[in-house]
Amino acid sequence: MGRITLAGVTKRFGETEVIPPLDLEIADGEFVVFVGPSGCGKSTLLRLIAGLEDVSSGQVSIDGRDMTEAPPAQRGLAMVFQSYALYPHMSVRANIAFPLRMAGMDKAEQARRVEAAAEVLNLTAYLDRRPGQLSGGQRQRVAIGRAIVREPAAFLFDEPLSNLDAALRVGMRLEISELHKRLATTMVYVTHDQVEAMTMADKIVVLQAGRIEQVGSPLDLYHRPQNRFVAGFIGSPRMNFIEGPEAARHGAHVIGIRPEHVVVSQTEGPWKGRVTVTEHLGSDTYYHVHDTGLAEALTVRAPGDGMAAPGDEVWLQPDMDRIHRFDANGARI
Amino acid sequence: MSTRSSRKAARLMLSPSVIVLLVWMIVPLAVTVWYSLLRYNLLRPERTGFIWFRNYTNFVASPAFLSSIVNTLILVVGVLVITVVLGILIALLIDRPIWGQGIVRILVISPFFIMPPVAALIWKNMFMNPTNGLFAEAAKFLGLPPFDFLGHAPLASITLMVAWQWLPFATLILLTALQSMSSEQIEAAEMDGANALNRFWFIVLPHLSRAITVVILIQTIFLLGVFAEILVTTNGGPGTASTTLTFLIYKEALLGFNAGTAAAGGVIAVILANIVAIFLMIAVGRNLDA
Ligand SMILES: Nc1ncnc2c1ncn2[C@@H]1O[C@H](COP(=O)(O)OP(=O)(O)OP(=O)(O)O)[C@@H](O)[C@H]1O
Ligand SMILES: [Mg+2]
């Protein structure tokens, strides 16, 4: 079981309020991802759940029990840190066994669980090495191993993949997702990478300056962003925002259209502009279009074999059903 | 430094300093060894000559020799234990954010700035003096008879003074090591259910092991040569109760005017120090690898 409830939780460091009152419900077995720009309070929120920071006010409960004052060890949660935080002087085996040893479990059971975890994580060959003799990805797996042997109520991850290279990151992303499928344990995962958030999450929590901007499934956030911030944050490349008369024509202060919802034409369309930069990704090509008179620049997606070159004039045909409209406060209309 | 020519160049560049260091070391050592084989008493300049190892047998056979070795070991080990244990405790304390941290840290390291003879004299006259000392006053206040520290526990008293002098060094080294401790590791241990004692034992102490090794190695080198504190307090006495090996050599050379025996003692001290160093390197030096 791993149901986590935050009720009116706030956090202040001295005078600065990092987390204004915040409510959040995380259901048992859910994979929840916290995303947001750097410094928005993702790590702080995670540490509040873990008990590594004290809340300034409000209540943290786990499985219905009030854990606000409980020390980290009693909350039954396991955390994987960005720097892995392995114990450098212990072997991989001792690292993974450490929480069991602290719990006073008998040696045979410890060994059995460590072997099982090593099996799952492909670490069997490395059990007698020191963390210093492992690659980044292997260290990350040891950190995960140390978390899973305890069979915690929930896992907390703080940007666990940000120290890995891109290829490894994709691999570990899958491994963690598979692990979640297999264990069906609640996972709370912090990242600033929205691709990680979109691919892994059951539920995404978008944070800005400590406030929750929106909570929802990845596709929910993609299709129905509640405000301009979420609309700009989710999706890559970013959504284009257009203000002024064109927005007013749609009865909004600002309208947004994603690059993939605009068709590029060499002959006709309601908007016209000049290509300044082209980005070829093979599967797709992104054009940066200037001089449209709508916004500074619009980013649009074309098929990988799109033929426009920098300097060419192009016409843009937005998919009007996919336009997002926002009022002056940035809220969705 | 990987190609052959760069290695050769490195050897060439290094050789002058290596040679200077070697000469610097070899010449005094050779002279000492040479003296130790001579009959060489400053009071009797007419009686000289080569006498093989008689100086050594005399020195080793003298009743003070064995007790001086034991005293040296007690002093060194005593000071090491006190400084390392207290050093860790103080470092743990002043590593926490406390009010007036800067001042506290300066206070903690200040004994290191006081010259050893001065420190020893202050201890002797202001604290340990059985009639005027602060400890005697404190004892009187509690209705106890004052204790004559330097008379009845000379070696322990000197150990205390020297430990006081070296405590800042140990604390400072251990504090810097403590500050390089990753807070995430501590937090991970906390999540793993380790209580404060377990965190110290399984996480902090292993992290400090290298610093402790450095403290032990460096202090041992200096503690084997402790001299001024003994000279200005007990003069090695009462009897030979606080005579260490260094002090015995001094007595032999400058009180007995026997340069030959003193040189023999010096050579023995060098040999013993090397034995200790080898033991230390085997016992704790492997902490410095990797
Ligand atoms: N111990 C602290 N004392 C004072 N301010 C802090 C402390 N820890 C964090 N903060 C502040 O709280 C805010 C949120 O920090 P937090 O580490 O939660 O950000 P984050 O969302 O995890 O960012 P990143 O993606 O860069 O890791 C920041 O503005 C930071 O400066
Ligand atoms: Mg963070």
Side-chain angles (χ1 to χ4, degrees), chain A residues 13 18 37-44 53 159 192:
Chain A
F13 289 112
V18 175
S38 185
C40 69
K42 307 179 293 288
S43 299
T44 306
E53 302 275 0
E159 307 205 18
H192 58 253

Side-chain angles (χ1 to χ4, degrees), chain A residues 273-291:
Chain A
R274 193 170 46 78
V275 175
T276 53
V277 178
T278 61
E279 293 175 333
H280 294 281
L281 301 185
S283 57
D284 302 307
T285 305
Y286 290 103
Y287 296 133
H288 293 262
V289 181
H290 280 236
D291 301 339

Side-chain angles (χ1 to χ4, degrees), chain A:
Chain A
M1 282 292 283
R3 188 160 52 83
I4 300 169
T5 313
L6 306 183
V9 165
T10 69
K11 179 65 189 175
R12 271 186 302 277
F13 289 112
E15 287 301 297
T16 46
E17 185 168 68
V18 175
I19 310 244
L22 175 149
D23 298 291
L24 182 65
E25 175 81 37
I26 296 171
D28 183 34
E30 219 170 17
F31 197 122
V32 175
V33 175
F34 294 169
V35 279
S38 185
C40 69
K42 307 179 293 288
S43 299
T44 306
L45 195 56
L46 198 72
R47 293 165 58 83
L48 289 175
I49 296 174
L52 294 171
E53 302 275 0
D54 293 324
V55 298
S56 301
S57 68
Q59 199 189 43
V60 178
S61 38
I62 297 169
D63 289 333
R65 286 194 301 139
D66 181 7
M67 287 287 184
T68 316
E69 301 295 329
Q74 281 173 24
R75 300 192 180 197
L77 308 174
M79 182 146 166
V80 176
F81 292 83
Q82 181 173 357
S83 68
Y84 319 134
L86 300 179
Y87 312 128
H89 52 275
M90 295 183 198
S91 66
V92 167
R93 189 189 303 277
N95 261 286
I96 298 178
F98 189 73
L100 306 179
R101 191 167 158 202
M102 288 299 112
M105 185 178 285
D106 72 59
K107 284 263 168 12
E109 175 68 7
Q110 280 186 29
R112 200 188 58 71
R113 288 218 200 170
V114 170
E115 295 291 339
E119 189 75 26
V120 171
L121 295 164
N122 283 326
L123 283 171
T124 312
Y126 307 105
L127 277 178
D128 292 310
R129 292 211 199 163
R130 293 283 174 95
Q133 299 163 321
L134 299 178
S135 73
Q138 290 162 346
R139 282 181 215 187
Q140 188 58 69
R141 284 208 287 270
V142 176
I144 294 173
R146 195 171 61 184
I148 63 176
V149 282
R150 288 171 51 197
E151 298 175 357
F155 293 96
L156 310 177
F157 295 90
D158 192 354
E159 307 205 18
L161 307 185
S162 56
N163 286 348
L164 304 180
D165 69 50
L168 204 52
R169 200 142 63 197
V170 174
M172 284 302 294
R173 206 161 77 194
L174 277 174
E175 281 189 40
I176 293 178
S177 292
E178 277 166 16
L179 196 67
H180 178 244
K181 295 251 155 45
R182 175 162 28 194
L183 301 176
T185 309
T186 312
M187 291 191 176
V188 184
Y189 188 105
V190 165
T191 179
H192 58 253
D193 178 352
Q194 51 110 359
V195 177
E196 269 175 33
M198 293 297 283
T199 51
M200 300 172 86
D202 294 326
K203 184 159 102 182
I204 296 180
V205 177
V206 183
L207 292 164
Q208 186 194 199
R211 271 177 299 108
I212 294 183
E213 294 287 347
Q214 189 173 354
V215 179
S217 72
L219 289 183
D220 207 22
L221 262 56
Y222 178 83
H223 290 300
R224 289 189 56 80
Q226 284 307 309
N227 54 46
R228 190 175 161 176
F229 176 78
V230 176
F233 195 78
I234 299 290
S236 167
R238 253 169 70 88
M239 183 185 282
N240 299 298
F241 290 108
I242 298 164
E243 297 182 12
E246 180 67 21
R249 222 161 54 78
H250 291 88
H253 180 71
V254 184
I255 57 169
I257 179 87
R258 296 191 187 278
E260 52 270 40
H261 298 150
V262 179
V263 176
V264 183
S265 159
Q266 308 239 339
T267 52
E268 56 175 344
W271 300 341
K272 177 166 165 264
R274 193 170 46 78
V275 175
T276 53
V277 178
T278 61
E279 293 175 333
H280 294 281
L281 301 185
S283 57
D284 302 307
T285 305
Y286 290 103
Y287 296 133
H288 293 262
V289 181
H290 280 236
D291 301 339
T292 52
L294 303 165
E296 172 75 14
L298 297 180
T299 310
V300 297
R301 188 181 73 175
D305 51 6
M307 295 320 286
D312 286 1
E313 294 231 306
V314 290
W315 283 262
L316 306 176
Q317 299 171 340
D319 180 349
M320 284 304 168
D321 295 338
R322 305 243 190 169
I323 279 184
H324 303 269
R325 301 182 305 145
F326 303 99
D327 66 19
N329 297 322
R332 182 183 190 85
I333 300 174

Side-chain angles (χ1 to χ4, degrees), chain B residues 121-198:
Chain B
L121 281 175
I122 291 175
W123 274 97
K124 178 185 178 182
N125 295 321
M126 288 187 64
F127 291 100
M128 291 176 167
N129 188 303
T131 45
N132 306 321
L134 281 179
F135 291 159
E137 289 296 330
K140 271 184 242 163
F141 180 77
L142 293 172
L144 300 169
F147 185 72
D148 181 3
F149 285 90
L150 290 167
H152 290 123
L155 196 59
S157 306
I158 291 173
T159 305
L160 186 68
M161 293 175 200
V162 178
W164 179 80
Q165 286 242 301
W166 281 94
L167 189 54
F169 172 77
T171 307
L172 220 56
I173 301 263
L174 293 167
L175 180 65
T176 47
L178 213 53
Q179 285 171 338
S180 72
M181 175 98 228
S182 122
S183 63
E184 285 201 345
Q185 257 177 50
I186 298 283
E187 287 175 348
E190 220 173 313
M191 296 289 301
D192 284 345
N195 61 26
L197 207 63
N198 282 333

Side-chain angles (χ1 to χ4, degrees), chain B residues 25-202:
Chain B
M25 205 190 84
I26 291 289
V27 170
L29 188 66
V31 171
T32 308
V33 170
W34 173 238
Y35 282 173
S36 74
L37 300 174
L38 294 182
R39 184 196 307 272
Y40 187 1
N41 190 316
L42 298 174
L43 290 180
R44 301 195 194 112
E46 74 285 2
R47 293 185 59 198
T48 56
F50 196 75
I51 54 163
W52 287 106
F53 292 102
R54 285 264 297 288
N55 282 325
Y56 288 88
T57 48
N58 284 347
F59 188 82
V60 172
S62 84
F65 175 72
L66 214 64
S67 78
S68 77
I69 298 246
V70 172
N71 286 345
T72 309
L73 285 183
I74 292 177
L75 179 70
V76 171
V77 173
V79 172
L80 284 179
V81 169
I82 296 175
T83 50
V84 169
V85 171
L86 280 186
I88 290 175
L89 292 180
I90 296 178
L92 284 173
L93 272 181
I94 61 180
D95 188 35
R96 326 214 129 212
I98 46 170
W99 188 83
Q101 196 169 39
I103 304 264
V104 170
R105 286 186 183 175
I106 289 173
L107 284 179
V108 165
I109 61 169
S110 54
F112 213 43
F113 300 134
I114 301 174
M115 287 158 278
V118 176
L121 281 175
I122 291 175
W123 274 97
K124 178 185 178 182
N125 295 321
M126 288 187 64
F127 291 100
M128 291 176 167
N129 188 303
T131 45
N132 306 321
L134 281 179
F135 291 159
E137 289 296 330
K140 271 184 242 163
F141 180 77
L142 293 172
L144 300 169
F147 185 72
D148 181 3
F149 285 90
L150 290 167
H152 290 123
L155 196 59
S157 306
I158 291 173
T159 305
L160 186 68
M161 293 175 200
V162 178
W164 179 80
Q165 286 242 301
W166 281 94
L167 189 54
F169 172 77
T171 307
L172 220 56
I173 301 263
L174 293 167
L175 180 65
T176 47
L178 213 53
Q179 285 171 338
S180 72
M181 175 98 228
S182 122
S183 63
E184 285 201 345
Q185 257 177 50
I186 298 283
E187 287 175 348
E190 220 173 313
M191 296 289 301
D192 284 345
N195 61 26
L197 207 63
N198 282 333
R199 288 203 293 277
F200 173 74
W201 188 254
F202 291 108

